[in-house]
Amino acid sequence: MADSGTAAPMTKPPRGVHAPLPHDSAARHVAGSAVYIDDMPEPAGLLHVAFGLSTKAHAKITRMDLSAVRAAPGVVLVISADDVPGENDVSPVIHDDRLFADGEVYCVGQSLFAVAATSLAAARAAAAKAVVEYEDLPAAVDIAAAREMDLKIEASQRMARGDAKGALAAAPRRVQSQFAIGGQDHFYLEGQIALATPREDGDVHVWSSTQHPTEVQHLIARVLGKPDHCVTVEVRRMGGGFGGKETQASLFAAAAALVAVKTGRPAKCRPDRDEDMVMTGKRHDFEAVYDVGFDDEGRLTGLSLELSSRCGATTDLSPAINDRAMFHADNAYYLPAVQIVSHRYRTHTVSNTAFRGFGGPQGMIAIERVMDAVAAATGLDPLEVRRRNLYGGEGRNLTPYHQVVEDNVAPQLIEELAASCDYAARRREIDAFNQASPVLKKGIALTPVKFGISFTTTHLNQAGALIHLYADGSIMLNHGGTEMGQGLNTKVAQIVAQAFQVDVSRVKITSTVTDKVPNTSATAASSGADLNGMAALNAAETIKARLVDFAAAKWGVAPMEVAFTPDGVRVGGQLLGFEAFVRQAYLARISLSATGFYATPKIHYDRATHTGRPFYYFAYGAACSEVLIDTLTGEMKVTRADILHDVGKSLNPALDLGQIEGGFIQGMGWLTTEELVFDAQGRLRTHAPSTYKIPTCGDRPAHLDVRLWKAGRNVEATVHRSKAVGEPPLMLAISVHSAITQAVSSVGDGRVFPHLDAPATPEAILMACEDVRRRAHE
């Protein structure tokens, strides 16, 4: 653009928000040129870090002889609890996660010591030479054992509204049952990894594959016994996170940093897949016991729900995760009288942690199981039972935690999807098919999603950003969110481009790094774009305000006569090219850099009473899934799925569609194929893809129709009226489990409600079919 101050009209509008732009790294992902931590050139003198791990679920360490480890070829340093200069802790809140075991182990896979050697092979070989002797202590490896031993990470919690006990006693009809919900491994494509480089004065820089750079920074500083400013943590991208890199990354980063500081050499810590799965936490497995009262029309009158979860050996984020399970035990349904009790059991297994949905999926599938049970008891279509229990207007819009549902669009979504996917006709066709087919059975289910958006820990709902506008008109963007493949950086760049009315190609996205934007929250709770997008917009508006004041003074016009447009900056009657305008501002000594900040409004929550407004708004969706099962083998195939999802005014429809499809498939894996198996000694037996089965491309339904709800718009003042999309789609897959339930029920002509826990593996489906046959003929 010439400096004449003129600009030719653009041939097409700039690419800002609402445009379906590709992920900023999409081409690099496909070409294999996107750089992850293990792809970085290894610096001279690099040390590789490997761990020695506990083989016991709960025991005293009576002897740990590391002399052979230290004497092994290539070993430079061996460190254990006694070598930690600061606090031997990498926990997010409670200070109960040891970097290295100290006198006692509390799960198989707990780190005992770390070896730093000149090669990874040497480090692993040396670690295997340790001599460790134990004295076994009582161990609880599952919920039943922990319940028997009364082991909990905190007191049981109760959330209630109305008189559930009285409502149940007076209910015309009543069903009592229970349901087990399995855990899930994150199985991110890029495993846990950290690369630490020592700096002057004992400082350290760490590349970490983490969703929470600030927390990793704080915990490394705690381990080193130094202030936070001595540690810099940087993240360019992760190869997946799903919650598994919110707290779990800290152990690997702290070990690498400690080695780097002690040796003065760079250090990399990268466990292999088996070690990663054994050492890191999973989605919490749950047990749900329900007692539901209802009338002949399928309308609930009272509900008592008791949730129990396996939290693992330490606290991690389990209190908040279990709280969110309680928050979502209503899903999209009004519960006139309800009591939800949550037990958080401590077990001697690896500590479970955040996973996409953060407890919400477990609470939500519990109430959907209740809806299916009520439908079976009344003989009604399960979708009709769901419709009759949805939130409504005044008098039917208060959640169990006393938040008013102000933006309920679930009824509209359900009706639109039911019509577009021809639910009613397909259900009739499936009934006819099942009557004629003795072996193969079909099932169909349509289920809604209502998911609360915000961190339920209120202070985490804040974000920062930093924007530099250079004199040539190019823009450098940094914010506190992290990119793990979800497209956050692309969305925030689009927001900044829209603010300046320039093409997104002008905006350069940079690594998330703690010395640029401090005190950030984790990229989690589906709030990445909500928080960081608003913070970046705040920074952009700060710079724009300076530029407007500058233009008004320089050209003698009113501020309202200065406008940023796709063709340039209009000042009064003249149009200035963006580059020329910015250069003029630079020459006039106008600051072209700004920080931005955002804190979510309106939210508040009293955990003591479990009441308040923990969520800024709700995201909604609905899915209709159809399945085919073989009743002789238990094999199952999802043949069709239709999804309608509310993302408000989408910031980027292409990225949002990708998140919805990916979330649905991941949720389908959780509920069908992904089975975590721990043996009686607390050892994870499914710690590799040979035994732990995530969905593959062959598991994708042949017909998968994913649509954004065209009428979507956030009633709250979010960035460009968009809605979060990271977590809610996972729960759309609950429709798959409900459809399997319908298919299994047809084995007994619908007379028997199946006992079918999650995941509904082929073995579980086969056993459920056999059970239904037996009970149908009793």
mmCIF file of all heavy atoms in Angstrom, residues 637-638 668 695-702:
data_model
loop_
_atom_site.group_PDB
_atom_site.id
_atom_site.type_symbol
_atom_site.label_atom_id
_atom_site.label_comp_id
_atom_site.label_asym_id
_atom_site.label_seq_id
_atom_site.Cartn_x
_atom_site.Cartn_y
_atom_site.Cartn_z
ATOM 1 N N LYS A 637 -22.587 -51.633 15.755
ATOM 2 C CA LYS A 637 -22.169 -50.632 14.784
ATOM 3 C C LYS A 637 -23.116 -49.449 14.869
ATOM 4 O O LYS A 637 -24.349 -49.619 14.868
ATOM 5 C CB LYS A 637 -22.215 -51.229 13.369
ATOM 6 C CG LYS A 637 -21.752 -50.279 12.270
ATOM 7 C CD LYS A 637 -20.251 -50.095 12.303
ATOM 8 C CE LYS A 637 -19.757 -49.250 11.133
ATOM 9 N NZ LYS A 637 -18.302 -48.984 11.233
ATOM 10 N N VAL A 638 -22.558 -48.249 14.976
ATOM 11 C CA VAL A 638 -23.366 -47.039 14.863
ATOM 12 C C VAL A 638 -23.525 -46.772 13.369
ATOM 13 O O VAL A 638 -22.552 -46.473 12.681
ATOM 14 C CB VAL A 638 -22.709 -45.838 15.567
ATOM 15 C CG1 VAL A 638 -23.614 -44.608 15.466
ATOM 16 C CG2 VAL A 638 -22.426 -46.155 17.031
ATOM 17 N N MET A 668 -18.424 -41.379 21.891
ATOM 18 C CA MET A 668 -18.834 -42.715 21.461
ATOM 19 C C MET A 668 -17.821 -43.759 21.927
ATOM 20 O O MET A 668 -18.192 -44.848 22.383
ATOM 21 C CB MET A 668 -18.947 -42.724 19.930
ATOM 22 C CG MET A 668 -19.682 -43.883 19.340
ATOM 23 S SD MET A 668 -19.851 -43.685 17.549
ATOM 24 C CE MET A 668 -18.237 -44.216 16.993
ATOM 25 N N PRO A 695 -11.854 -45.229 19.208
ATOM 26 C CA PRO A 695 -12.508 -45.356 17.902
ATOM 27 C C PRO A 695 -11.528 -45.098 16.763
ATOM 28 O O PRO A 695 -10.606 -44.278 16.883
ATOM 29 C CB PRO A 695 -13.594 -44.278 17.935
ATOM 30 C CG PRO A 695 -13.788 -43.958 19.374
ATOM 31 C CD PRO A 695 -12.460 -44.170 20.028
ATOM 32 N N THR A 696 -11.731 -45.787 15.668
ATOM 33 C CA THR A 696 -10.947 -45.561 14.457
ATOM 34 C C THR A 696 -11.870 -45.015 13.374
ATOM 35 O O THR A 696 -13.083 -44.875 13.579
ATOM 36 C CB THR A 696 -10.313 -46.865 13.971
ATOM 37 O OG1 THR A 696 -11.363 -47.760 13.556
ATOM 38 C CG2 THR A 696 -9.502 -47.533 15.085
ATOM 39 N N CYS A 697 -11.297 -44.732 12.201
ATOM 40 C CA CYS A 697 -12.111 -44.171 11.123
ATOM 41 C C CYS A 697 -13.226 -45.136 10.724
ATOM 42 O O CYS A 697 -14.296 -44.714 10.272
ATOM 43 C CB CYS A 697 -11.246 -43.816 9.923
ATOM 44 S SG CYS A 697 -10.268 -45.169 9.265
ATOM 45 N N GLY A 698 -13.003 -46.438 10.923
ATOM 46 C CA GLY A 698 -14.020 -47.420 10.596
ATOM 47 C C GLY A 698 -15.205 -47.404 11.543
ATOM 48 O O GLY A 698 -16.256 -47.975 11.224
ATOM 49 N N ASP A 699 -15.067 -46.770 12.703
ATOM 50 C CA ASP A 699 -16.167 -46.695 13.662
ATOM 51 C C ASP A 699 -17.071 -45.490 13.420
ATOM 52 O O ASP A 699 -18.155 -45.404 13.996
ATOM 53 C CB ASP A 699 -15.615 -46.622 15.089
ATOM 54 C CG ASP A 699 -14.874 -47.883 15.473
ATOM 55 O OD1 ASP A 699 -15.472 -48.964 15.356
ATOM 56 O OD2 ASP A 699 -13.697 -47.793 15.863
ATOM 57 N N ARG A 700 -16.637 -44.580 12.580
ATOM 58 C CA ARG A 700 -17.457 -43.417 12.251
ATOM 59 C C ARG A 700 -18.717 -43.885 11.530
ATOM 60 O O ARG A 700 -18.651 -44.701 10.621
ATOM 61 C CB ARG A 700 -16.661 -42.471 11.351
ATOM 62 C CG ARG A 700 -17.372 -41.185 10.964
ATOM 63 C CD ARG A 700 -16.542 -40.443 9.910
ATOM 64 N NE ARG A 700 -17.078 -39.134 9.602
ATOM 65 C CZ ARG A 700 -18.039 -38.912 8.702
ATOM 66 N NH1 ARG A 700 -18.578 -39.938 8.049
ATOM 67 N NH2 ARG A 700 -18.458 -37.682 8.446
ATOM 68 N N PRO A 701 -19.881 -43.397 11.937
ATOM 69 C CA PRO A 701 -21.108 -43.802 11.233
ATOM 70 C C PRO A 701 -21.023 -43.483 9.742
ATOM 71 O O PRO A 701 -20.490 -42.423 9.350
ATOM 72 C CB PRO A 701 -22.198 -42.968 11.909
ATOM 73 C CG PRO A 701 -21.631 -42.573 13.233
ATOM 74 C CD PRO A 701 -20.158 -42.456 13.040
ATOM 75 N N ALA A 702 -21.535 -44.389 8.919
ATOM 76 C CA ALA A 702 -21.522 -44.152 7.470
ATOM 77 C C ALA A 702 -22.299 -42.887 7.130
ATOM 78 O O ALA A 702 -21.945 -42.147 6.209
ATOM 79 C CB ALA A 702 -22.110 -45.357 6.740
#
